[in-house]
Amino acid sequence: MASPKVAVVGAGVIGLSTALCITETCPSCSVTVLSDQFSPNTTSDVAAGMLIPHTYPDTPIHRQKQWFKETFSYLFAISNSAEASEAGIHLVSGWQVFKSPPKEELPFWSDIVLGFRPMSEAELQKFPQHRFGQAFTTLKCDCPPYLLWLEKRLKATGTQMYIRKVADLWELHGEYDIVVNCAGMGAQQLAGDKQLFPVRGQVLKVHAPWVKLFIRDGDGLTYIYPGIHRVTLGGIREKGSWSLSPDAGTTRDIFDRCCSLEPSLQGAQDIEVKVGLRPSRLCVRVQREVLSQGGLKLPVVHNYGHGAGGFSVHRGTANEAAHLVRECISALQGSSSRAKL
Amino acid sequence: MRVAIIGAGVIGLSSALCIHEQFHGLVPSLELEVYADHFTPHTTSDGAAGLWQPYLSDHGNLQETLWNKETFDYLLGQLHSPAAKEMGLFLLSGYNLFTEPVPDPSWKNIVLGFRNLTPKELELFPGYSYGWFNTALMLEGRRYLPWLTNRLTQRGVKFFHKKVESFQELFSQGVDVVLNCSGIRAGHLQPDPELQPGRGQIIKVLAPWVKHFIITHDLKSGIYSSPYVIPGSEFTVLGGIYQHGNWSEENSAKDHKSIWDSCCRLLPALQKAKIVGEWSGLRPARPSVRLERESIRLGNLQGEVIHNYGHGGFGITIHWGCAMAAARLFGSILQEKKHLATPPGPRL
């Protein structure tokens, strides 16, 4: 197999970063990205892109930590380079505040982000309703810039990208040797995965350029994340809802909750409301599978189900998926050489 | 009781506001007038980035450290008020970088969350081996001065676009007390060899991805002569020039190159930043702030002067503490002139 043809389904942060990792890990591959949506219309474009991990209940912590560490290192290097502004990657410091003491004093990622420490009494005075807090510096991936930067890197490797709705992975059999399923919520249909469910999120992207620090309530529901041009205010978690329409009551509620953390947001302008469906799962599915149907085989690598934590672990899972693709290639080459005997 | 304030930078306007707030109710005849040759946006305060941060060492000047603290605490208290945005006031975190370990500064417990940098953080800044992280405040002159002006105008304070040539000029017009907040040009009103320009130059760029201040220090060259990057609400300020004794307010191409090259080395992403302006200004440098009363007598003219100038590169940092101190001096003047039974205001 001279040049294995790999199709990556999905062009959000997972699809694009996985495609890029594949071009890096398997330079002989020909990679094509297929998706019904590209930036700025992916779920990733709605997200703030903050590197604060979500904990997956069924993925071993060491694996989540490894994913986060790889992602953080990768982005840290970009943030420190001349490409930082084009890639939309920047450092941001801030506070995570809790009304009641958090379950864990030290989250698994506390030694990966920068300068993690408890908030001082003086800092907590700014949050009269909160009694405990953590201060740290982390990274933010602004979308669309980050996705556009990934697309640019992919084009430079010769990767083709097509707008195409893939209704069934078998459609791609014959055209491609390996399929990589980074379809996010679309994997429910493509992989028939009933363990995948949407958690509807709504955010406000506002103009408030004086907000330079992030503030997040430890319950994960209220957050203020300053991006390059806009500040993302959130949020909500509606499990099982597929609605992509903004809800006015939710908008009001998010705005009020954020203003109570940061009163100056009352002066925010140009409020844009966005909705996204977090493709949620108890554990992220990064896994090889060989589909078979009527004697035909289709090697598939799954990389979906990142829920609320896609940006935080994207590069780590992309690396893992790329290695699985390499394994698929070895398996194909092994079987094709056997076929020659 | 006519009070003239000379100077409409951060010192003049805040002193005027402080005095009016504290005394207008007690002294019905109080009339405040602000005289200045430059108003916002053409004052020295307008060019400053607006970061609250004192110099590294207070040289044993505890009084200035207290005034700095008073200012920080006052501003922190204003953060949640609806006025904050209009004042140009917001929190900002950032880095102070050194090539060798240094003692903690006098202000370490004034700012929020002061700590040393971790080794991983220092990886961001090759060439620097030691540093601090803390959260401080920004008070942008280009917003704060108009806000102060509005508050003063609402209170009936009058403004005069006029270069005052002498204290006597004002006393002869019937002014009782003069507040000398003339900054770098105080020497024109009364010679002061201790007051010297600390010339600075800055480049304004669009770099909205920068969310931290970064101030480097070269202990041999002195304060502000090493690159710094300070993100504001509209643009980011790049600087790193401090030239003692240089009176030029013209932008220098050599200084531009020095600032640009050194800041881009510090933050490579700045290479892509668009330059939107450049400015030079003269920090009114003095070994210590001159904040004191003086009785001026010339012939049959007599008047009281309260000097409040010489705040160098920390005017915004110290302004409110000095304004309060100036107000206290004013109170003692009133007491002496029997306008007041006892001085008002909080007892320290």
PDB file of all heavy atoms in Angstrom, chain A residues 99-127:
ATOM      1  N   LYS A  99     -18.683  28.236  45.608  1.00  0.00           N
ATOM      2  CA  LYS A  99     -19.549  28.651  46.716  1.00  0.00           C
ATOM      3  C   LYS A  99     -19.336  27.717  47.908  1.00  0.00           C
ATOM      4  O   LYS A  99     -19.359  28.162  49.053  1.00  0.00           O
ATOM      5  CB  LYS A  99     -21.022  28.646  46.286  1.00  0.00           C
ATOM      6  CG  LYS A  99     -21.327  29.808  45.363  1.00  0.00           C
ATOM      7  CD  LYS A  99     -22.807  29.923  44.989  1.00  0.00           C
ATOM      8  CE  LYS A  99     -23.046  31.229  44.235  1.00  0.00           C
ATOM      9  NZ  LYS A  99     -23.976  31.108  43.124  1.00  0.00           N
ATOM     10  N   SER A 100     -19.125  26.432  47.604  1.00  0.00           N
ATOM     11  CA  SER A 100     -18.806  25.491  48.685  1.00  0.00           C
ATOM     12  C   SER A 100     -17.501  24.804  48.300  1.00  0.00           C
ATOM     13  O   SER A 100     -17.155  24.752  47.121  1.00  0.00           O
ATOM     14  CB  SER A 100     -19.940  24.491  48.863  1.00  0.00           C
ATOM     15  OG  SER A 100     -20.332  23.980  47.621  1.00  0.00           O
ATOM     16  N   PRO A 101     -16.751  24.295  49.266  1.00  0.00           N
ATOM     17  CA  PRO A 101     -15.424  23.745  48.967  1.00  0.00           C
ATOM     18  C   PRO A 101     -15.493  22.689  47.878  1.00  0.00           C
ATOM     19  O   PRO A 101     -16.394  21.847  47.877  1.00  0.00           O
ATOM     20  CB  PRO A 101     -14.978  23.119  50.289  1.00  0.00           C
ATOM     21  CG  PRO A 101     -15.766  23.826  51.323  1.00  0.00           C
ATOM     22  CD  PRO A 101     -17.065  24.196  50.702  1.00  0.00           C
ATOM     23  N   PRO A 102     -14.571  22.723  46.915  1.00  0.00           N
ATOM     24  CA  PRO A 102     -14.606  21.773  45.800  1.00  0.00           C
ATOM     25  C   PRO A 102     -14.327  20.355  46.269  1.00  0.00           C
ATOM     26  O   PRO A 102     -13.702  20.143  47.304  1.00  0.00           O
ATOM     27  CB  PRO A 102     -13.483  22.251  44.882  1.00  0.00           C
ATOM     28  CG  PRO A 102     -12.576  23.027  45.757  1.00  0.00           C
ATOM     29  CD  PRO A 102     -13.412  23.610  46.842  1.00  0.00           C
ATOM     30  N   LYS A 103     -14.806  19.394  45.466  1.00  0.00           N
ATOM     31  CA  LYS A 103     -14.594  17.977  45.812  1.00  0.00           C
ATOM     32  C   LYS A 103     -13.109  17.681  45.940  1.00  0.00           C
ATOM     33  O   LYS A 103     -12.672  17.010  46.865  1.00  0.00           O
ATOM     34  CB  LYS A 103     -15.210  17.074  44.727  1.00  0.00           C
ATOM     35  CG  LYS A 103     -16.715  16.982  44.832  1.00  0.00           C
ATOM     36  CD  LYS A 103     -17.290  16.238  43.638  1.00  0.00           C
ATOM     37  CE  LYS A 103     -17.951  17.185  42.699  1.00  0.00           C
ATOM     38  NZ  LYS A 103     -17.583  17.417  41.399  1.00  0.00           N
ATOM     39  N   GLU A 104     -12.335  18.171  44.940  1.00  0.00           N
ATOM     40  CA  GLU A 104     -10.882  17.945  45.052  1.00  0.00           C
ATOM     41  C   GLU A 104     -10.186  19.279  45.222  1.00  0.00           C
ATOM     42  O   GLU A 104     -10.458  20.225  44.499  1.00  0.00           O
ATOM     43  CB  GLU A 104     -10.320  17.324  43.776  1.00  0.00           C
ATOM     44  CG  GLU A 104     -11.276  16.491  42.957  1.00  0.00           C
ATOM     45  CD  GLU A 104     -10.772  16.387  41.525  1.00  0.00           C
ATOM     46  OE1 GLU A 104     -10.957  17.355  40.756  1.00  0.00           O
ATOM     47  OE2 GLU A 104     -10.184  15.349  41.219  1.00  0.00           O
ATOM     48  N   GLU A 105      -9.275  19.306  46.171  1.00  0.00           N
ATOM     49  CA  GLU A 105      -8.518  20.531  46.408  1.00  0.00           C
ATOM     50  C   GLU A 105      -7.587  20.789  45.227  1.00  0.00           C
ATOM     51  O   GLU A 105      -7.373  21.912  44.816  1.00  0.00           O
ATOM     52  CB  GLU A 105      -7.699  20.345  47.673  1.00  0.00           C
ATOM     53  CG  GLU A 105      -7.502  21.626  48.450  1.00  0.00           C
ATOM     54  CD  GLU A 105      -6.638  21.405  49.673  1.00  0.00           C
ATOM     55  OE1 GLU A 105      -7.000  20.520  50.485  1.00  0.00           O
ATOM     56  OE2 GLU A 105      -5.599  22.067  49.786  1.00  0.00           O
ATOM     57  N   LEU A 106      -7.013  19.685  44.701  1.00  0.00           N
ATOM     58  CA  LEU A 106      -6.081  19.804  43.583  1.00  0.00           C
ATOM     59  C   LEU A 106      -6.599  18.978  42.414  1.00  0.00           C
ATOM     60  O   LEU A 106      -6.453  17.757  42.411  1.00  0.00           O
ATOM     61  CB  LEU A 106      -4.693  19.279  43.990  1.00  0.00           C
ATOM     62  CG  LEU A 106      -3.813  20.179  44.854  1.00  0.00           C
ATOM     63  CD1 LEU A 106      -2.470  19.512  45.063  1.00  0.00           C
ATOM     64  CD2 LEU A 106      -3.616  21.549  44.222  1.00  0.00           C
ATOM     65  N   PRO A 107      -7.195  19.626  41.416  1.00  0.00           N
ATOM     66  CA  PRO A 107      -7.641  18.846  40.249  1.00  0.00           C
ATOM     67  C   PRO A 107      -6.453  18.202  39.541  1.00  0.00           C
ATOM     68  O   PRO A 107      -5.318  18.662  39.702  1.00  0.00           O
ATOM     69  CB  PRO A 107      -8.297  19.899  39.353  1.00  0.00           C
ATOM     70  CG  PRO A 107      -7.935  21.220  39.914  1.00  0.00           C
ATOM     71  CD  PRO A 107      -7.442  21.064  41.289  1.00  0.00           C
ATOM     72  N   PHE A 108      -6.706  17.164  38.740  1.00  0.00           N
ATOM     73  CA  PHE A 108      -5.604  16.393  38.138  1.00  0.00           C
ATOM     74  C   PHE A 108      -4.727  17.246  37.235  1.00  0.00           C
ATOM     75  O   PHE A 108      -3.593  16.919  36.957  1.00  0.00           O
ATOM     76  CB  PHE A 108      -6.131  15.162  37.381  1.00  0.00           C
ATOM     77  CG  PHE A 108      -6.803  15.459  36.055  1.00  0.00           C
ATOM     78  CD1 PHE A 108      -6.061  15.693  34.902  1.00  0.00           C
ATOM     79  CD2 PHE A 108      -8.193  15.481  35.954  1.00  0.00           C
ATOM     80  CE1 PHE A 108      -6.682  15.962  33.682  1.00  0.00           C
ATOM     81  CE2 PHE A 108      -8.820  15.741  34.746  1.00  0.00           C
ATOM     82  CZ  PHE A 108      -8.063  15.988  33.611  1.00  0.00           C
ATOM     83  N   TRP A 109      -5.275  18.380  36.794  1.00  0.00           N
ATOM     84  CA  TRP A 109      -4.543  19.209  35.838  1.00  0.00           C
ATOM     85  C   TRP A 109      -3.836  20.390  36.492  1.00  0.00           C
ATOM     86  O   TRP A 109      -3.276  21.251  35.811  1.00  0.00           O
ATOM     87  CB  TRP A 109      -5.521  19.715  34.770  1.00  0.00           C
ATOM     88  CG  TRP A 109      -6.842  20.176  35.322  1.00  0.00           C
ATOM     89  CD1 TRP A 109      -7.975  19.419  35.472  1.00  0.00           C
ATOM     90  CD2 TRP A 109      -7.172  21.478  35.818  1.00  0.00           C
ATOM     91  NE1 TRP A 109      -8.982  20.181  36.014  1.00  0.00           N
ATOM     92  CE2 TRP A 109      -8.524  21.439  36.238  1.00  0.00           C
ATOM     93  CE3 TRP A 109      -6.457  22.672  35.933  1.00  0.00           C
ATOM     94  CZ2 TRP A 109      -9.168  22.553  36.765  1.00  0.00           C
ATOM     95  CZ3 TRP A 109      -7.097  23.788  36.462  1.00  0.00           C
ATOM     96  CH2 TRP A 109      -8.441  23.707  36.877  1.00  0.00           C
ATOM     97  N   SER A 110      -3.840  20.439  37.832  1.00  0.00           N
ATOM     98  CA  SER A 110      -3.318  21.633  38.495  1.00  0.00           C
ATOM     99  C   SER A 110      -1.824  21.832  38.275  1.00  0.00           C
ATOM    100  O   SER A 110      -1.335  22.954  38.351  1.00  0.00           O
ATOM    101  CB  SER A 110      -3.635  21.595  39.988  1.00  0.00           C
ATOM    102  OG  SER A 110      -2.993  20.492  40.593  1.00  0.00           O
ATOM    103  N   ASP A 111      -1.093  20.737  37.997  1.00  0.00           N
ATOM    104  CA  ASP A 111       0.346  20.912  37.791  1.00  0.00           C
ATOM    105  C   ASP A 111       0.706  21.089  36.316  1.00  0.00           C
ATOM    106  O   ASP A 111       1.880  21.163  35.964  1.00  0.00           O
ATOM    107  CB  ASP A 111       1.129  19.736  38.404  1.00  0.00           C
ATOM    108  CG  ASP A 111       0.736  18.398  37.815  1.00  0.00           C
ATOM    109  OD1 ASP A 111      -0.320  18.332  37.141  1.00  0.00           O
ATOM    110  OD2 ASP A 111       1.472  17.420  38.028  1.00  0.00           O
ATOM    111  N   ILE A 112      -0.315  21.126  35.467  1.00  0.00           N
ATOM    112  CA  ILE A 112      -0.052  21.323  34.037  1.00  0.00           C
ATOM    113  C   ILE A 112      -0.288  22.776  33.641  1.00  0.00           C
ATOM    114  O   ILE A 112       0.488  23.364  32.892  1.00  0.00           O
ATOM    115  CB  ILE A 112      -0.920  20.368  33.189  1.00  0.00           C
ATOM    116  CG1 ILE A 112      -0.554  18.919  33.544  1.00  0.00           C
ATOM    117  CG2 ILE A 112      -0.716  20.626  31.693  1.00  0.00           C
ATOM    118  CD1 ILE A 112      -1.471  17.890  32.952  1.00  0.00           C
ATOM    119  N   VAL A 113      -1.361  23.363  34.168  1.00  0.00           N
ATOM    120  CA  VAL A 113      -1.577  24.794  33.946  1.00  0.00           C
ATOM    121  C   VAL A 113      -0.479  25.532  34.715  1.00  0.00           C
ATOM    122  O   VAL A 113       0.291  24.914  35.455  1.00  0.00           O
ATOM    123  CB  VAL A 113      -2.980  25.247  34.410  1.00  0.00           C
ATOM    124  CG1 VAL A 113      -4.057  24.552  33.596  1.00  0.00           C
ATOM    125  CG2 VAL A 113      -3.188  25.005  35.904  1.00  0.00           C
ATOM    126  N   LEU A 114      -0.402  26.851  34.527  1.00  0.00           N
ATOM    127  CA  LEU A 114       0.691  27.609  35.129  1.00  0.00           C
ATOM    128  C   LEU A 114       0.268  28.281  36.437  1.00  0.00           C
ATOM    129  O   LEU A 114      -0.832  28.831  36.528  1.00  0.00           O
ATOM    130  CB  LEU A 114       1.168  28.690  34.146  1.00  0.00           C
ATOM    131  CG  LEU A 114       1.596  28.189  32.765  1.00  0.00           C
ATOM    132  CD1 LEU A 114       1.915  29.363  31.858  1.00  0.00           C
ATOM    133  CD2 LEU A 114       2.786  27.268  32.869  1.00  0.00           C
ATOM    134  N   GLY A 115       1.176  28.223  37.406  1.00  0.00           N
ATOM    135  CA  GLY A 115       1.001  29.002  38.622  1.00  0.00           C
ATOM    136  C   GLY A 115      -0.233  28.697  39.441  1.00  0.00           C
ATOM    137  O   GLY A 115      -0.765  29.579  40.122  1.00  0.00           O
ATOM    138  N   PHE A 116      -0.707  27.460  39.405  1.00  0.00           N
ATOM    139  CA  PHE A 116      -1.934  27.097  40.119  1.00  0.00           C
ATOM    140  C   PHE A 116      -1.741  27.256  41.619  1.00  0.00           C
ATOM    141  O   PHE A 116      -0.777  26.765  42.194  1.00  0.00           O
ATOM    142  CB  PHE A 116      -2.298  25.651  39.803  1.00  0.00           C
ATOM    143  CG  PHE A 116      -3.608  25.200  40.395  1.00  0.00           C
ATOM    144  CD1 PHE A 116      -4.755  25.208  39.634  1.00  0.00           C
ATOM    145  CD2 PHE A 116      -3.686  24.769  41.720  1.00  0.00           C
ATOM    146  CE1 PHE A 116      -5.985  24.797  40.171  1.00  0.00           C
ATOM    147  CE2 PHE A 116      -4.894  24.362  42.266  1.00  0.00           C
ATOM    148  CZ  PHE A 116      -6.049  24.368  41.486  1.00  0.00           C
ATOM    149  N   ARG A 117      -2.656  27.953  42.248  1.00  0.00           N
ATOM    150  CA  ARG A 117      -2.592  28.128  43.706  1.00  0.00           C
ATOM    151  C   ARG A 117      -3.978  28.540  44.214  1.00  0.00           C
ATOM    152  O   ARG A 117      -4.817  28.997  43.442  1.00  0.00           O
ATOM    153  CB  ARG A 117      -1.573  29.213  44.076  1.00  0.00           C
ATOM    154  CG  ARG A 117      -1.925  30.521  43.417  1.00  0.00           C
ATOM    155  CD  ARG A 117      -1.177  31.710  43.939  1.00  0.00           C
ATOM    156  NE  ARG A 117      -1.518  32.854  43.115  1.00  0.00           N
ATOM    157  CZ  ARG A 117      -2.595  33.628  43.283  1.00  0.00           C
ATOM    158  NH1 ARG A 117      -3.437  33.398  44.281  1.00  0.00           N
ATOM    159  NH2 ARG A 117      -2.835  34.633  42.476  1.00  0.00           N
ATOM    160  N   PRO A 118      -4.223  28.373  45.516  1.00  0.00           N
ATOM    161  CA  PRO A 118      -5.496  28.856  46.045  1.00  0.00           C
ATOM    162  C   PRO A 118      -5.549  30.379  45.965  1.00  0.00           C
ATOM    163  O   PRO A 118      -4.516  31.046  46.025  1.00  0.00           O
ATOM    164  CB  PRO A 118      -5.482  28.408  47.511  1.00  0.00           C
ATOM    165  CG  PRO A 118      -4.340  27.478  47.654  1.00  0.00           C
ATOM    166  CD  PRO A 118      -3.376  27.758  46.553  1.00  0.00           C
ATOM    167  N   MET A 119      -6.750  30.919  45.824  1.00  0.00           N
ATOM    168  CA  MET A 119      -6.908  32.371  45.813  1.00  0.00           C
ATOM    169  C   MET A 119      -6.663  32.919  47.205  1.00  0.00           C
ATOM    170  O   MET A 119      -6.957  32.266  48.204  1.00  0.00           O
ATOM    171  CB  MET A 119      -8.328  32.752  45.373  1.00  0.00           C
ATOM    172  CG  MET A 119      -8.492  32.768  43.865  1.00  0.00           C
ATOM    173  SD  MET A 119     -10.222  32.822  43.383  1.00  0.00           S
ATOM    174  CE  MET A 119     -10.591  34.548  43.655  1.00  0.00           C
ATOM    175  N   SER A 120      -6.147  34.139  47.256  1.00  0.00           N
ATOM    176  CA  SER A 120      -5.907  34.777  48.557  1.00  0.00           C
ATOM    177  C   SER A 120      -7.221  35.345  49.087  1.00  0.00           C
ATOM    178  O   SER A 120      -8.194  35.496  48.341  1.00  0.00           O
ATOM    179  CB  SER A 120      -4.892  35.911  48.391  1.00  0.00           C
ATOM    180  OG  SER A 120      -5.442  36.917  47.565  1.00  0.00           O
ATOM    181  N   GLU A 121      -7.223  35.688  50.364  1.00  0.00           N
ATOM    182  CA  GLU A 121      -8.405  36.297  50.991  1.00  0.00           C
ATOM    183  C   GLU A 121      -8.789  37.564  50.258  1.00  0.00           C
ATOM    184  O   GLU A 121      -9.962  37.829  50.000  1.00  0.00           O
ATOM    185  CB  GLU A 121      -8.097  36.648  52.459  1.00  0.00           C
ATOM    186  CG  GLU A 121      -8.155  35.473  53.428  1.00  0.00           C
ATOM    187  CD  GLU A 121      -9.488  34.750  53.383  1.00  0.00           C
ATOM    188  OE1 GLU A 121     -10.546  35.416  53.431  1.00  0.00           O
ATOM    189  OE2 GLU A 121      -9.485  33.506  53.276  1.00  0.00           O
ATOM    190  N   ALA A 122      -7.779  38.363  49.927  1.00  0.00           N
ATOM    191  CA  ALA A 122      -8.040  39.645  49.253  1.00  0.00           C
ATOM    192  C   ALA A 122      -8.704  39.417  47.899  1.00  0.00           C
ATOM    193  O   ALA A 122      -9.611  40.147  47.508  1.00  0.00           O
ATOM    194  CB  ALA A 122      -6.739  40.424  49.087  1.00  0.00           C
ATOM    195  N   GLU A 123      -8.270  38.388  47.183  1.00  0.00           N
ATOM    196  CA  GLU A 123      -8.872  38.084  45.881  1.00  0.00           C
ATOM    197  C   GLU A 123     -10.309  37.623  46.053  1.00  0.00           C
ATOM    198  O   GLU A 123     -11.200  37.989  45.272  1.00  0.00           O
ATOM    199  CB  GLU A 123      -8.067  36.992  45.162  1.00  0.00           C
ATOM    200  CG  GLU A 123      -6.720  37.473  44.642  1.00  0.00           C
ATOM    201  CD  GLU A 123      -5.868  36.335  44.095  1.00  0.00           C
ATOM    202  OE1 GLU A 123      -5.650  35.333  44.809  1.00  0.00           O
ATOM    203  OE2 GLU A 123      -5.412  36.452  42.958  1.00  0.00           O
ATOM    204  N   LEU A 124     -10.562  36.806  47.085  1.00  0.00           N
ATOM    205  CA  LEU A 124     -11.906  36.273  47.295  1.00  0.00           C
ATOM    206  C   LEU A 124     -12.895  37.360  47.686  1.00  0.00           C
ATOM    207  O   LEU A 124     -14.107  37.205  47.494  1.00  0.00           O
ATOM    208  CB  LEU A 124     -11.884  35.179  48.363  1.00  0.00           C
ATOM    209  CG  LEU A 124     -11.453  33.812  47.844  1.00  0.00           C
ATOM    210  CD1 LEU A 124     -11.132  32.868  48.989  1.00  0.00           C
ATOM    211  CD2 LEU A 124     -12.536  33.215  46.943  1.00  0.00           C
ATOM    212  N   GLN A 125     -12.384  38.474  48.206  1.00  0.00           N
ATOM    213  CA  GLN A 125     -13.288  39.560  48.587  1.00  0.00           C
ATOM    214  C   GLN A 125     -14.058  40.103  47.400  1.00  0.00           C
ATOM    215  O   GLN A 125     -15.125  40.689  47.551  1.00  0.00           O
ATOM    216  CB  GLN A 125     -12.501  40.695  49.254  1.00  0.00           C
ATOM    217  CG  GLN A 125     -12.286  40.432  50.721  1.00  0.00           C
ATOM    218  CD  GLN A 125     -11.508  41.526  51.410  1.00  0.00           C
ATOM    219  OE1 GLN A 125     -11.453  42.668  50.939  1.00  0.00           O
ATOM    220  NE2 GLN A 125     -10.909  41.184  52.528  1.00  0.00           N
ATOM    221  N   LYS A 126     -13.514  39.879  46.215  1.00  0.00           N
ATOM    222  CA  LYS A 126     -14.193  40.342  45.002  1.00  0.00           C
ATOM    223  C   LYS A 126     -15.443  39.502  44.718  1.00  0.00           C
ATOM    224  O   LYS A 126     -16.292  39.872  43.918  1.00  0.00           O
ATOM    225  CB  LYS A 126     -13.210  40.269  43.826  1.00  0.00           C
ATOM    226  CG  LYS A 126     -13.528  41.226  42.698  1.00  0.00           C
ATOM    227  CD  LYS A 126     -12.501  41.140  41.590  1.00  0.00           C
ATOM    228  CE  LYS A 126     -13.069  40.744  40.234  1.00  0.00           C
ATOM    229  NZ  LYS A 126     -14.209  41.537  39.791  1.00  0.00           N
ATOM    230  N   PHE A 127     -15.539  38.340  45.394  1.00  0.00           N
ATOM    231  CA  PHE A 127     -16.644  37.413  45.132  1.00  0.00           C
ATOM    232  C   PHE A 127     -17.353  37.079  46.436  1.00  0.00           C
ATOM    233  O   PHE A 127     -17.147  35.998  47.010  1.00  0.00           O
ATOM    234  CB  PHE A 127     -16.105  36.133  44.477  1.00  0.00           C
ATOM    235  CG  PHE A 127     -15.311  36.406  43.235  1.00  0.00           C
ATOM    236  CD1 PHE A 127     -13.925  36.389  43.257  1.00  0.00           C
ATOM    237  CD2 PHE A 127     -15.954  36.701  42.038  1.00  0.00           C
ATOM    238  CE1 PHE A 127     -13.185  36.666  42.118  1.00  0.00           C
ATOM    239  CE2 PHE A 127     -15.221  36.977  40.885  1.00  0.00           C
ATOM    240  CZ  PHE A 127     -13.837  36.958  40.937  1.00  0.00           C
TER     241      PHE A 127
END
